[in-house]
Amino acid sequence: MRSAFKKLSANKHNIDAGLLFAVTICAVISTLLIFSIAESGLSEGEGVDSSYWKTQLVSMVIGLFAAVIISLIDYRKLVKLWFIFVPISLFLVALTFTSLGYQRNGADDQAWINIGPVNLQPSEILKLAFILTFSYHLSRDEEDMNKPLHMLLLLLHAAIPIGIVGKQGDFGTAIIFVAIFMFMICSAKISWKYLVAAPFVIAAGAAAMWFLALSEFHKKRITILFNPGSDPEHMEYQQDLGLAALKSGKIFGKGLFKNVDEYVYVPEIHNDFIFTYVGQVFGYLGSLGIIIILAYICLKIFADSRITRDRLGRFICMGAFGLILSHCIMNIGMVLKVAPVIGVPLPFMSAGGTAMISMYAIIGLVLSTYSHRAVTYNVFYDEEE
């Protein structure tokens, strides 16, 4: 074991330290923000107490450890374990449709499960499983993917998780899965014919979803974006408060750990609307800084996808890129009132243990593709090149 760690230390230059540092900076800031929210009592009515920042801190530590461990394992070996993690992820998602499943306060979907003292959102684990399995599927089928039958199988592969989370009522996560699928398949050798047809297929799918799947509540959340102030039920209330909170921080922000009266309360400010608290405490400059860090994370993952040793690694990176980029755009978009409120958290920032650990695990996969692009030795893999 001692010999293994000595060799591991010799290969520490293979870790993408910049990427790992950036996500950890976000996670540390997130913990401080949630600590400040809990201490100020800003979200006391939503039950946000010290347990929230403690959960975030523990999840960050576990996630960081998981990312490093996953980076040591060759991703080509990991994907071959699909017969283990796919049944587990599907089983956990299936539990949301049983008595163990519940609807979290402030949410409109039954996407969580309660197992003893542990609360989980299984769709976060399903994202990780999908990126791994779809990468494996694409890497094995890329040369034939433009044949109708092969393309149909790829579409069915993506339709399974999209359909499951849609059935939960979690349309935000369903859109995330669509984004992951689009980024991954467009990074493969897809024919231009499919790319030309894609907008028409997406439009047809959106129309079907509008008329067959979305409730009147979800439709109103979308239509009010095009006609602000038109809703007598004032469903814009949360977004209007969010914009007011962002503006209240001005250039430099109000700072952390202030009295509750100095902050603007926004529902779910610790979770999906945490960016509004960033604006309050750090101001315009701080908000811009968070956006720059998140943009760096996305661009670094994209850059890593260009230097992987094989197409499997490239697809994993593009899946991670699509996941984090779509989360950032949709979350910040709904805070800025240019996207509907659909319950998509901000990566490494919003409160949530499952989301934090799963995001770190996805970063671990990217680190694995980076560290194994020209491996000579690794604890779990040994190869001379």
Side-chain angles (χ1 to χ4, degrees), residues 239-309:
Q239 288 176 300
D240 288 342
L241 283 178
L243 288 175
L246 280 172
K247 294 176 183 177
S248 71
K250 299 182 179 180
I251 300 296
F252 300 105
K254 304 172 183 177
L256 293 162
F257 310 113
K258 300 291 183 179
N259 187 279
V260 64
D261 297 329
E262 297 191 38
Y263 297 125
V264 178
Y265 168 73
V266 182
E268 295 295 311
I269 196 171
H270 63 291
N271 196 5
D272 298 340
F273 275 74
I274 197 167
F275 192 70
T276 66
Y277 196 62
V278 172
Q280 290 193 71
V281 301
F282 297 136
Y284 171 79
L285 293 179
S287 301
L288 184 61
I290 293 296
I291 291 174
I292 289 172
I293 296 174
L294 291 171
Y296 170 81
I297 291 170
C298 292
L299 291 174
K300 194 70 178 71
I301 293 173
F302 183 80
D304 288 350
S305 75
R306 313 307 298 173
I307 59 173
T308 57
R309 67 187 297 163

Side-chain angles (χ1 to χ4, degrees), residues 123-131 173 176-177 180 323 327:
S123 60
E124 295 295 333
I125 302 171
L126 189 61
K127 291 173 187 174
L128 180 63
F130 176 68
I131 289 174
T173 300
I176 294 294
F177 274 106
I180 295 170
L323 170 67
H327 263 272

